[in-house]
Structures are given as C-alpha cells and as structure tokens.
Amino acid sequence: MAATRALAAITESPKVRLALLLLALAYILFFLVLPVVVVFTEAFGRGFTYYVEAVSEPDAQAAIKLTLLVAAIAVPANVVFGVAASWAIAKFDFVGKSFLITLIDLPFSVSPVISGLIYVLMFGGHGLIGPWLDQHDIQIIYAVPGIVLATIFVTFPFVARELIPLMQEQGTEEEEAARSLGASGWQTFWRVTLPNIKWGLLYGVLLCNARAMGEFGAVSVVSGHIRGFTNTMPLHVEILYNEYNLPAAFAVASLLAFLALVTLVAKAILEWRYGHELAPVHH
Amino acid sequence: MRIDVRDVTKRFDSFIAVRGFTLEVRPGELVALLGPSGSGKTTLLRIIAGLEQADEGQVLFDGDDSAAKGVGERRVGFVFQHYALFKHMTVFENVAFGLRVAPAERRMSNTDIKTRVMSLLSLVQLDTLAARYPSQLSGGQRQRVALARALAIEPLVLLLDEPFGALDAKVRKELRRWLRRLHDDMGLTSIFVTHDQEEALELADRVVVMNQGAIEQVGTPMEVYDTPATPFVYEFLGNVNRIPCTITGGAATLWGLAVKAESVNGAVVPPGDAPGFAYVRPHDIEIAAGGAQKAVVRHIGAAGPTARLELEVAGVPALVEVQLSRQAFFDLHLRVGQAIAITARGARVFPAASVPG
C-alpha cells in the first residue's frame, strides 16, 4: 500500500503522460524515422535496376571496398588497444591511470575535423615529419594509411569505454583465483578474463565498426577525395550529392543506413539477451 | 608445511596495513587470524599466498624464502571470501581449472583429470551438481566448490579468507566441523581469517588476535579467552562488562572483590589514584543476598541453555550483563524491576590509558 501511494505521488496524471509520450514519439518520428525512410525511398526512386547500377559502378565499388578495408584494420586495432587499456586500467594500479582514462576520452571531445587536421599537420607535405616521409617515398596523407589512422583515432574510445566499467565491476578476484591455481598470465586472460567480457567486447566492436564505416569529418580532411582511390562510402555520398546525382547518392547512403539498422538490431539483441553482462553505463 | 612470517610490513600509500608481523605456523596446525575489519588480517593472508608483496620482511615455507616463487608455484590453496568461482564454467570445469593450466610436462590426461575432479566433488558432496553453473548453486555449495577447486592442485597449505562469512548460521556450523575434519584428514597446514570470535575459538588450534596490523595476542582458544593479554582482546572476544573504576595504590575494588591493576600497552599502573577499567565476564558475577553492590534487573532473556540478565548498576553507564545457569535462574525467582545484590567472582583491572576507544 505504502509503495503504491509513494509511486502515485511521483506519477503524473494520465493526460500529461499521454501528451509527453506523443511528443516524444512525434519527435522521434520526425527526426529519426522519417529521414531513414526518405533515404530508402529516394534510393529506390528510379527503380531497382538503377539502384544496382549506382552501387556497382566502379567508383562506388572502390568506395565500398575501401570502407571495408579501413574498418577491417581499424576495428581489430582498436579491439587490441581497447582490451589492453581496459585490462590495465581495471585490473592494475599505476601512476597516471586517470590521465590515461582522460586520454582515451579525447577523441569524443575533439571535433573529428581537428582529429584529421592533426594528422595532416603531422604527416602532410609541410607537416612535422612530412618531408622525411617524402624522402623515403612513404605516402600517408591523401592515401589509405592516413584514412586508417584517422579512423582509428576517432573510433578508439568505443571498445575501451565499454570494457573499462565492465572490468572494473568484475574486479580481480577471478583472475587472482586463476593465478593461485597456477595459471600463467596468458592462460588467465584467455580462460578467465576474455570469456567474462565477451558480450561487452562484441557490443564495443559493433559500435566501433559502425563509427569506423560511417566516419566523415576526420577522413574527409586526410583523404584528398581522389575518386576510386581514397574515397570511402560517406565521402562518395557527398561527392555524388554535390554533383546533383541524388539517386546514386541515396543508393550508396542506403547501404550505410542499412549497416546502421543492422548494428541497431544486433545491439538491441545483445542488450536484451546479455544486458547483465554488459557495462552498466552506455553512451 | 611450516610457515614462518618474519617481520612483515605492508603499506598502502600512507596507511600501514601490516606492521612488523612475526608468526610461526607449525605443520598440521589450523590457525585463525582474528580481528576487526581493517586490522590487516586479509592483507597478511594475501601476502602469505603471494597475491600481495610485503614491503619488508619475509615469508618462509619450510625454511625457504617464498619471495622468488610466484603465486602459482607455492602450492597454496586459496579460498576467497566471495569464492571467486569462474562464472562461465561449470562446477566440474571450475575444479578442473588448476589441473588444466598445469605446464604440459606435468599435465594429467583428460581421463585422470576427470577421475580426480569427480573424487574431489564427491569429497565435498557435490558430485551430482558437476554440470551446474555457479549461479545455480546456494552459498554453501559455492563455498564447497571453491574448496574443492583449491584442493585440486594438492596444496600443502590452505588459506581461507572469511570462509563462512556469507553463509547463514546453520550452514556455517556444519561447514566449520566439516572443514576441521578435512584439514585433519588431509594433513594440511591451514590459516583462516575471520572477524567472528566464536568461529575462531571453536575451529582453530591457535588464535592470533590482530589489531591495527599487529598482533595483540597469540594463544590457544582457551588462553585467549581465559587470560586476554590486553583490554583490546577482552573487548574483541566479546561477552565482557567494562566497568569504570578507580585504581588506588595499584589495585581496585569491584563489587566486593579486590583486584590488582595490570600494566599493558605501555600504560604503567600509577602509584597514586588513577582512573581504570575493570573487565568482568557475565558468568563471573554472582547474584546473592548480602552482595556487595546493589543492582536492579532491567531485562531477562531466559531462552536457551543459559539465562541472560541485564542489570542497572549505579555508576556504570551501560547495562551490566550477567549469565546464570538455568537452574540458578529458576531458584532465584527473578523478575524485571527487582532490586538485587551482586558480587564479582573474578575480574581484571587495567589503567584507563591502556583501553581502546
């Protein structure tokens, strides 16, 4: 009884609740659902054949391949880095720990354009070590390595941010138990730590991958927009759009939107099925 | 295996968790580290296990310095306070873990591992639950899995951190007796940490009472209970009345009993008058007509093997606890509010400066 009354005291009247609900739904419909619907209707606006042509012409194919390649390098790199960093932060005490946590958050607080510029200033022709790279015939800016670097930078918090709270919450007791039973560091990691974080890790990989494939700002600065060579899918969409080739732009965009939907569904499944094994706080 | 802890000190930043701790544990002994939280007992246990490094001092196993040996090489079974079972493994795999991670040249065959694990599980009476996961077990069952897992590596030393802390009273009692039998049957040398005096007194061969990272007293359960070395031990072992008194000429009189004051903790009994505290156990107080001190009965708890009374005594801030045999209680026909007289049969007196808090 007391609980019901307490609940009633903090609950608004049905009218207010309905109004708030409708407002939220309208907002979501207008700003989220409608644009996605538009992307797909525009993409298929000139028929299926045109759609297939638009996504299979050589430049589009090159963009898709490059996007997949970049993600295939950036995501594993950030998995290794993310797991290593969270392992160190959650399971050990060392000087500079909070500084490291702040550094990991840096890409979230810096505009992606600036992230890209940093690399241009570092590796570009007039950059810090650009002349040296030129002499040795190493091309980073306006080439694939630059795109990969910028993508890694922008996406590196995802795995670590997901794993740090999860691993901190799990503590070190199971690892200590494994060590006391004679397991080596590697055995402890593979047999105890990794199985305990696998769903959280998958969740982080999912978000990391979505961002790696969708990143625009940082990649745009370092890519140089060379068609067929340094254009990722988001950059390709922009070029097509600027050329008023809207159906083709939407066709490629629909692939990215589709990826987003797949990510969303996989994320929802993970949260629903393994929610208790994920970190308590999500972004 | 003999364990020598020599002059071990451990600091966490400015906090000294263990200070200059020395203890010898004889082969086959079961020793309890007893103390309040923050007394350094768990830290000491973890140092012995190798899970924590001592800042100063050494831990010797049968005379060998353990510093060079890693956690895994010490042949120490460690049972964690919250069991630390591997959540994603079955009971069987939990127990098998130590056997599976052994270096290739020492690793047993799968068939041998299976035999060993099943025999350990039947030892802890969990052979029917081998396929379960830890989350499907009760607290007592988890505790036994943790024990079986620690025993799988055939340890010479068994270390247990608050082994019964999270269990309800009945399960705790059963497991206590069972652990004592297991320790004796397997010829282990064991150390366990507890804050429960009853557990320490019932289970251990020797009790080490710890306070602020150092030893207050080491002795058999009888010794620490009957002759506590310090006021701290008196208070920590519980069931004692602390009565403020005045020490005059090195002695005090408590309820008709003259007691010589004792110097402890560097607090020397002063020659003149000084404040002090008398410690008197509830069963050392006699209720009889003509007693030296008047008192009023404030509460009666007569259920159980002994009767517990709480008395109001002039000059004593807290109620005084008295324990009587059932028979004596019924003979006295006591009721709440009744005025009675009491006499102390035995007590000890310490200068106020030596008494904690």
Side-chain angles (χ1 to χ4, degrees):
Chain A
M1 278 306 285
T4 329
R5 222 178 296 134
L7 200 68
I10 55 158
T11 305
E12 301 297 338
S13 74
K15 269 183 198 165
V16 177
R17 269 187 284 166
L18 187 69
L20 283 172
L21 188 69
L22 285 178
L23 185 70
L25 280 178
Y27 190 86
I28 290 172
L29 190 74
F30 194 73
F31 286 104
L32 292 174
V33 179
L34 227 60
V36 174
V37 173
V38 168
V39 167
F40 283 100
T41 48
E42 287 289 325
F44 289 100
R46 292 209 189 163
F48 190 68
T49 335
Y50 186 87
Y51 179 84
V52 173
E53 259 171 43
V55 297
S56 56
E57 56 101 8
D59 285 349
Q61 284 289 307
I64 293 170
K65 277 186 195 144
L66 181 59
T67 297
L68 292 177
L69 174 72
V70 168
I73 300 171
V75 174
N78 280 331
V79 165
V80 172
F81 165 79
V83 171
S86 350
W87 162 275
I89 286 167
K91 313 273 176 181
F92 302 97
D93 274 319
F94 53 90
V95 181
K97 189 159 141 172
S98 49
F99 182 63
L100 182 59
I101 297 175
T102 313
L103 272 188
I104 289 172
D105 272 345
L106 189 68
F108 275 162
S109 48
V110 169
S111 160
V113 177
I114 296 179
S115 316
L117 266 177
I118 293 165
Y119 285 105
V120 174
L121 293 176
M122 281 276 292
F123 304 119
H126 303 284
L128 216 55
I129 52 174
W132 184 88
L133 290 170
D134 263 354
Q135 279 168 20
H136 293 80
D137 217 16
I138 303 169
Q139 181 84 19
I140 290 183
I141 298 303
Y142 310 133
V144 175
I147 297 174
V148 171
L149 280 177
T151 307
I152 287 178
F153 180 86
V154 172
T155 58
F156 93 45
F158 285 98
V159 173
R161 288 296 306 195
E162 174 60 28
L163 291 184
I164 290 168
L166 180 65
M167 286 170 106
Q168 274 175 337
E169 190 196 318
Q170 288 177 346
T172 53
E173 271 210 335
E174 284 189 38
E175 276 82 7
E176 285 182 338
R179 294 306 298 271
S180 81
L181 293 165
S184 67
W186 267 120
Q187 286 172 321
T188 305
F189 177 77
W190 286 109
R191 288 168 182 258
V192 176
T193 308
L194 198 60
N196 273 337
I197 59 167
K198 60 181 179 227
W199 297 117
L201 182 61
L202 188 57
Y203 190 94
V205 165
L206 219 58
L207 296 182
C208 181
N209 183 58
R211 182 66 189 269
M213 291 189 170
E215 174 55 26
F216 179 82
V219 169
S220 173
V221 177
V222 295
S223 115
H225 306 267
I226 307 165
R227 264 193 164 182
F229 292 99
T230 64
N231 254 355
T232 61
M233 284 164 77
L235 300 183
H236 191 62
V237 171
E238 196 213 12
I239 288 183
L240 292 171
Y241 178 80
N242 287 343
E243 289 170 348
Y244 302 106
N245 190 351
L246 290 188
F250 277 112
V252 180
S254 74
L255 291 179
L256 282 171
F258 180 68
L259 168 80
L261 290 178
V262 169
T263 305
L264 205 66
V265 170
K267 183 170 164 281
I269 291 174
L270 271 181
E271 276 170 359
W272 166 69
R273 176 72 186 77
Y274 300 103
H276 57 288
E277 289 180 45
L278 298 175
V281 188
H282 298 305
H283 302 283
Chain B
M1 186 178 277
R2 203 177 80 231
I3 307 168
D4 279 304
V5 181
R6 285 195 192 156
D7 233 5
V8 163
T9 295
K10 176 74 184 175
R11 293 179 201 87
F12 294 108
D13 296 325
S14 60
F15 174 71
I16 304 180
V18 178
R19 56 182 88 209
F21 193 98
T22 298
L23 176 72
E24 190 194 318
V25 180
R26 293 184 281 270
E29 239 187 339
L30 177 54
V31 168
L33 299 178
L34 175 67
S37 58
S39 61
K41 53 196 194 306
T42 294
T43 306
L44 183 67
L45 196 76
R46 290 170 58 86
I47 290 171
I48 297 172
L51 291 169
E52 210 89 63
Q53 295 295 317
D55 293 325
E56 288 160 35
Q58 322 167 271
V59 178
L60 309 178
F61 289 106
D62 272 345
D64 290 335
D65 191 350
S66 64
K69 286 186 183 169
V71 201
E73 299 162 56
R74 298 188 181 198
R75 297 199 59 192
V76 166
F78 198 98
V79 178
F80 291 83
Q81 184 177 2
H82 304 292
Y83 321 131
L85 296 180
F86 305 126
K87 293 187 278 297
H88 61 283
M89 293 182 203
T90 61
V91 167
F92 181 95
E93 284 304 323
N94 263 280
V95 178
F97 186 87
L99 305 173
R100 293 208 195 280
V101 298
E105 67 273 13
R106 278 197 282 119
R107 200 176 303 148
M108 305 162 90
S109 72
N110 267 334
T111 347
D112 289 347
I113 289 180
K114 185 153 194 234
T115 318
R116 164 77 76 73
V117 171
M118 288 319 287
S119 83
L120 278 165
L121 284 178
S122 62
L123 176 76
V124 298
Q125 296 151 15
L126 287 173
D127 35 345
T128 53
L129 302 181
R132 295 267 185 99
Y133 283 88
S135 59
Q136 300 166 308
L137 302 179
S138 71
Q141 289 167 337
R142 282 180 210 178
Q143 173 66 286
R144 283 181 286 159
V145 176
L147 257 166
R149 183 178 69 176
L151 293 173
I153 55 166
E154 299 191 302
L156 302 169
V157 171
L158 190 60
L159 304 175
L160 308 105
D161 187 6
E162 298 274 5
F164 313 111
L167 304 172
D168 57 60
K170 187 168 170 288
V171 180
R172 203 185 302 182
K173 269 218 150 76
E174 276 170 26
L175 268 178
R176 235 187 251 168
R177 293 198 191 114
W178 178 79
L179 177 69
R180 179 74 233 198
R181 266 206 316 278
L182 191 84
H183 165 90
D184 293 336
D185 291 350
M186 299 189 81
L188 292 163
T189 305
S190 307
I191 304 177
F192 73 99
V193 156
T194 181
H195 63 268
D196 180 347
Q197 45 122 349
E198 192 192 320
E199 194 167 287
L201 297 179
E202 187 187 309
L203 190 58
D205 294 319
R206 278 198 301 157
V207 177
V208 178
V209 184
M210 290 182 69
N211 180 29
Q212 297 183 345
I215 293 179
E216 286 276 331
Q217 187 174 9
V218 184
T220 64
M222 281 283 275
E223 283 165 1
V224 294
Y225 188 80
D226 288 342
T227 51
T230 63
F232 176 85
V233 177
Y234 246 125
E235 303 213 350
F236 194 72
L237 288 183
N239 287 349
V240 72
N241 294 298
R242 184 170 84 174
I243 317 290
C245 63
T246 307
I247 301 172
T248 311
T253 305
L254 178 76
W255 309 337
L257 182 74
V259 190
K260 232 177 117 285
E262 300 167 59
S263 313
V264 284
N265 292 355
V268 181
V269 178
D273 285 9
F277 285 104
Y279 285 87
V280 54
R281 297 264 186 220
H283 51 76
D284 280 336
I285 297 172
E286 201 175 281
I287 298 176
Q293 173 71 45
K294 290 199 184 340
V296 180
V297 179
R298 283 290 168 226
H299 180 81
I300 297 176
T306 58
R308 256 183 85 256
L309 309 179
E310 281 173 13
L311 311 180
E312 191 181 309
V313 179
V316 182
L319 290 175
V320 172
E321 195 183 327
V322 179
Q323 233 172 7
L324 292 175
S325 73
R326 257 179 114 71
Q327 196 53 51
F329 172 72
F330 287 124
D331 290 347
L332 284 165
H333 302 292
L334 294 172
R335 57 196 160 66
V336 172
Q338 190 177 343
I340 53 167
I342 55 172
T343 307
R345 265 193 298 248
R348 288 171 71 197
V349 172
F350 300 101
S354 68
V355 173

